[in-house]
Amino acid sequence: MVPVAVGAWVIALLVSFLPGTAGTVIALSATGMGILLIVCRFRVRTVVARAGPLSIVCLTVAAAIVGAAAAATPAREQAASLAGHAVTAEVSVRSLPSIGADGRLWADADAFRLGPGDQPAPLRVPVRIGIPPDAGSATLGPGTVLRFTAQTKRTDPGERAALVLLASGAVEQLSRGGPVERLAGDVRAAFIERAGRLPEPGSELLPGLAVGDVRAVSDELDAAMKASGLSHLTAVSGSNLALVAAAAFGVVALCGGGRVLRIAIAVVALAGFVVLVTPQPSVIRAAAMVGVALTALLLGRPRAGLSVLLLAVTVILLADPHLAAAPGFALSAAATGGLIVLAPPLARGLARRLPRPVALAIAVPLSAQLACGPIIALFAAQQSLVSVLANLLAAPASPIATVLGLLACLAMPLPPLADLFAAAAWLPSAWIAQTAVTTAALPMATIEAPAGIGTALVVAALSAGTFRVIAPHRPLRTPWRAIVGGALAVVIGAGTGWGIVAGPVALLQRPTDWAIALCDVGQGDAVLVRSAGRMMLIDTGPEPEPLRRCLDGLGIARLDLLVLTHFDRDHAGGADVIVGRVDVVLHGPVDTPVHQRRLDRLEAGGADVIQAAAGMAGRLGDADWRVVWPRRDEKVFPPGNETGVILQLEGRGVPRSLFLADLSAAAQGALRRLARPHDESVVKVAHHGSADQDPQLYEDLGPALALISVGEGNDYGHPRASTLEMLQALRGPVLRTDQRGMILVSQQEAGLRVWAERAAPADGPPSRPP
């Protein structure tokens, strides 16, 4: 099953990201099967003939996956053509909603009518919906049929959803589904309401542990759960379903039932639990794996765990090839595989030094962490260093909370009994919450590393080394011992050197609470501001790739607000990276068709495009932003540098800051006289430190920190010596991206904290730290 499952996954990834290759893959599969059948028919004694039957199975599975993906392609392309337009949608919800950073309820759904006008055409595609919360949100779940008008956004290649729908008006609930779905929704809503009466933070986690609903989890607790590596406990996974099936199996066994009856009751209990927690894709994946495991048990082969897992993966990919690119699917399969393959030898190795029960308790979370670590590193910039400890402390409480929570759901007709079970379930839930908060607060609980293949390979090497050290193994024979030892020495030495110079070790001091990030994009500007999980980007730099590296390195997938101060290439040249990833765009005056086309592309990606003018204001998380320049319908200064959008920000966690774009000295003087900015903690120096500055403005601002975004060895001679001398006379430090790379700024009680990618040059001007 290994080559079958791996081949299925590779082909599913290929057709998900490159749907145009479907015809080629089918043709190659058919040709390969024909050749193999001929070789096998004539019994040619070759390696090909011996591997023929397995190869035919692999090619058949590949062709079936490509066929399933190709069958869905026309509908997906039709949906993609609606991106950037207003549509009317009728959808059937397929998952429990969760609250996004924008305050909307987000859920997976299947659209069955989609298109412009009041009478949308039939179109069946998977979508992702974002709707405003209302009184009916408590019972919203799978089976609910909704109708609403929406703005559409294109999804990234490989996503299961063909389109993102952002409801722009009232959402009409046409149906809550069938009787079973309505009953499950009522039970969930009653349990969530009952759990909400209990003390926090245990009450926040309880609905997630019992029925997979995480809407009550606060941002602070969610961050602690992620930092401690415990967020998987609130997602319904294979362990939850296996627990339910095992409990039903054990009860029937105690009553004297035979194997067939035990498995039948376990399947019924499993199906009921799936309905209760909603048959969303992640739950269906977990249920499929548990179901195949029960089948292996029925057939008398309970130890064929890995084969069962690989068969489940193959069947799921045949049903939905786009799941191959879903991180949740990969993590689910990897965690299950780790428990099957890695946990037993790890437990044996640990048992040499620890009591066997303790060794097994450590081996279970450690095996899952070793298997999932490289996959997490592909997507997440934050790596937890305390996850094994946190899981060791918290994981035993999870099944207790799940079982007691389910008993509370079943006891809903008897409120006193339901209250008793809910209160009992709160205890392990509170334990898990406190474990998350405590371990997340430990020193070095997390590190930040650029998400991607490089970090994943480093984590994979560390995981393999950890397994090698702990698990018992036979000593290597010479010369293999010398060869492998030498190779390991080279890999470890190179990896250690890279880690010290530029990798995760160098990033250990990077603040995770940064509020301002000055990206190193060469001769241009790109500044990120973060508050309470909301993201703003001011300008995009001259090229897409440096901006993409900055966003990926900081783990930023989506922006709430993009500010294009003006349309010069060094400020807007990388804007295409942001298409489809931003909600609102503020921009300066538009004076050419080229500028307008850039805005049109952003708008087609789903962004609201607004021309900025002095007096505009808004909120970014816990911070307030205000446009202080240019004046509305500016007549004195022409579009360009002098009318760039100037923002002022201040709020909890964000230092008082002013970003001066490329304003000339004349425009700076007008800004000084009209807006009268003063006493700014952080100032982004205008025009990359050119000589065209208004010294009086900077004296009024009195910045504690001056930032200059400038390219190394640029042809303009930026920053100019006169500007540096003026800034140094203000007695605040001056940091430049050409010397320091990316610069992160955070607000501390004692003042500003600054982290820079590179150390200050030895021959640079002295500067005291902020």
Side-chain angles (χ1 to χ4, degrees):
M1 284 304 302
V2 172
V4 176
V6 171
W9 207 316
V10 171
I11 294 298
L13 284 172
L14 180 65
V15 296
S16 295
F17 285 96
L18 300 172
T21 61
T24 303
V25 174
I26 289 180
L28 291 175
S29 298
T31 303
M33 283 190 286
I35 294 172
L36 289 169
L37 287 172
I38 293 172
V39 171
C40 294
R41 171 68 179 82
F42 289 100
R43 303 176 182 234
V44 179
R45 290 185 171 274
T46 64
V47 174
V48 174
R50 289 193 292 272
L54 179 59
S55 300
I56 290 173
V57 172
C58 292
L59 292 173
T60 302
V61 169
I65 288 175
V66 173
T73 297
R76 295 179 67 89
E77 290 179 346
Q78 185 179 347
S81 68
L82 298 173
H85 296 83
V87 299
T88 299
E90 294 183 12
V91 304
S92 177
V93 179
R94 284 289 172 263
S95 70
L96 281 175
S98 59
I99 299 177
D102 57 359
R104 295 174 181 265
L105 290 175
W106 288 90
D108 295 316
D110 291 331
F112 56 89
R113 286 187 177 276
L114 191 64
D118 293 333
Q119 298 297 325
L123 180 61
R124 293 187 175 274
V125 288
V127 294
R128 182 83 172 150
I129 62 172
I131 62 175
D134 57 24
S137 301
T139 55
L140 182 65
T144 305
V145 178
L146 305 174
R147 178 185 171 92
F148 53 89
T149 58
Q151 292 292 327
T152 58
K153 292 186 179 181
R154 191 183 304 275
T155 57
D156 293 330
E159 286 194 40
R160 183 176 183 271
L163 207 61
V164 176
L165 304 179
L166 290 162
S168 54
V171 177
E172 182 183 0
Q173 191 173 108
L174 302 180
S175 167
R176 288 186 55 210
V180 174
E181 293 164 325
R182 290 198 300 271
L183 176 61
D186 291 338
V187 170
R188 282 195 308 272
F191 176 74
I192 293 169
E193 189 274 333
R194 180 168 272 108
R197 305 173 194 165
L198 300 169
E200 296 178 351
S203 62
E204 298 178 24
L205 285 184
L206 187 52
L209 294 168
V211 296
D213 193 305
V214 295
R215 281 176 285 180
V217 178
S218 64
D219 292 340
E220 292 78 10
L221 183 56
D222 180 61
M225 293 288 287
K226 290 176 179 176
S228 60
L230 296 177
S231 57
H232 65 94
L233 296 180
T234 56
V236 178
S237 63
S239 60
N240 299 87
L241 279 82
L243 177 66
V244 172
F249 190 94
V251 170
V252 178
L254 289 174
C255 296
R259 187 172 67 179
V260 174
L261 181 61
R262 298 176 200 172
I263 293 174
I265 297 300
V267 169
V268 172
L270 186 65
F273 184 63
V274 168
V275 171
L276 178 63
V277 300
T278 73
Q280 49 194 316
S282 60
V283 176
I284 292 174
R285 293 196 298 266
M289 293 185 183
V290 175
V292 176
L294 289 173
T295 303
L297 187 63
L298 182 62
L299 296 175
R301 300 189 60 192
R303 296 178 63 84
L306 185 59
S307 297
V308 167
L309 171 63
L310 296 173
L311 177 60
V313 167
T314 305
V315 171
I316 293 170
L317 292 176
L318 282 168
D320 191 348
H322 284 89
L323 287 175
F329 179 63
L331 290 171
S332 176
T336 307
L339 293 174
I340 294 171
V341 177
L342 304 181
L346 286 173
R348 290 195 297 271
L350 292 169
R352 293 177 295 187
R353 299 286 186 271
L354 300 170
R356 185 167 181 78
V358 176
L360 184 60
I362 297 175
V364 169
L366 180 59
S367 63
Q369 180 66 24
L370 294 180
C372 294
I375 299 173
I376 295 172
L378 285 172
F379 305 99
Q382 186 183 73
Q383 306 296 320
S384 175
L385 301 182
V386 297
S387 59
V388 173
L389 172 64
N391 276 276
L392 180 63
L393 295 172
S398 178
I400 301 173
T402 299
V403 171
L404 291 174
L406 289 177
L407 290 175
C409 291
L410 295 175
M412 285 299 167
L414 301 172
L417 186 59
D419 286 336
L420 175 63
F421 283 129
W426 173 85
L427 290 171
S429 177
W431 170 262
I432 294 171
Q434 191 58 49
T435 300
V437 172
T438 302
T439 54
L442 293 174
M444 304 292 289
T446 62
I447 62 171
E448 290 197 15
I453 295 177
T455 303
L457 291 176
V458 172
V459 175
L462 293 174
S463 297
T466 302
F467 179 79
R468 175 75 182 175
V469 169
I470 296 176
H473 55 273
R474 296 177 181 178
L476 296 172
R477 297 179 180 179
T478 55
W480 290 108
R481 179 184 299 175
I483 294 172
V484 174
L488 284 175
V490 172
V491 171
I492 293 172
T496 303
W498 173 81
I500 293 173
V501 174
V505 176
L507 301 178
L508 291 178
Q509 299 303 315
R510 175 187 290 182
T512 59
D513 59 347
W514 61 267
I516 299 172
L518 192 65
C519 296
D520 183 11
V521 293
Q523 184 68 11
D525 275 7
V527 187
L528 287 156
V529 183
R530 179 177 71 174
S531 176
R534 301 297 181 91
M535 295 288 178
M536 170 193 291
L537 173 65
I538 304 173
D539 290 330
T540 68
E543 300 288 348
E545 194 53 40
L547 177 63
R548 183 181 288 110
R549 285 198 301 268
C550 182
L551 295 176
D552 291 346
L554 294 173
I556 298 171
R558 189 157 192 88
L559 299 166
D560 298 280
L561 178 63
L562 167 65
V563 181
L564 292 177
T565 61
H566 58 296
F567 291 91
D568 286 357
R569 181 174 174 272
D570 58 338
H571 289 254
D576 286 346
V577 173
I578 311 300
V579 173
R581 302 172 63 181
V582 62
D583 295 329
V584 178
V585 176
L586 285 181
H587 64 87
V590 178
D591 64 335
T592 71
V594 174
H595 300 167
Q596 187 58 51
R597 284 197 293 272
R598 180 164 286 142
L599 293 176
D600 291 342
R601 287 197 295 273
L602 290 165
E603 190 170 22
D608 294 328
V609 176
I610 304 169
Q611 181 164 335
M616 286 186 176
R619 295 277 291 176
L620 181 78
D622 293 331
D624 295 305
W625 59 262
R626 184 167 66 97
V627 178
V628 296
W629 186 266
R631 294 170 291 189
R632 191 177 301 276
D633 300 325
E634 175 63 49
K635 303 298 184 184
V636 176
F637 297 101
N641 288 356
E642 287 80 3
T643 55
V645 180
I646 309 303
L647 278 185
Q648 188 178 57
L649 284 101
E650 183 180 19
R652 190 171 63 183
V654 178
R656 184 178 171 90
S657 309
L658 188 69
F659 302 90
L660 288 174
D662 276 2
L663 240 56
S664 65
Q668 291 176 29
L671 169 68
R672 171 171 53 82
R673 291 187 296 272
L674 295 172
R676 299 183 182 277
H678 59 88
D679 299 330
E680 304 287 347
S681 295
V682 178
V683 170
K684 200 288 297 181
V685 177
H687 206 181
H688 322 293
S690 75
D692 193 13
Q693 308 287 343
D694 177 17
Q696 186 60 51
L697 173 65
Y698 288 92
E699 187 172 338
D700 292 347
L701 297 176
L705 173 66
L707 301 175
I708 302 178
S709 182
V710 61
E712 185 176 5
N714 64 86
D715 296 334
Y716 304 96
H718 295 163
R720 292 301 180 95
S722 59
T723 299
L724 292 175
E725 291 171 2
M726 176 195 69
L727 294 172
Q728 288 160 9
L730 299 175
R731 301 183 179 276
V734 181
L735 274 69
R736 303 158 41 178
T737 56
D738 61 334
Q739 294 180 346
R740 309 299 298 272
M742 180 194 295
I743 299 167
L744 303 180
V745 182
S746 57
Q747 179 75 61
Q748 306 290 321
E749 290 185 4
L752 299 179
R753 177 187 178 193
V754 176
W755 176 93
E757 193 172 14
R758 298 192 293 270
D763 57 348
S767 131
R768 62 180 178 83

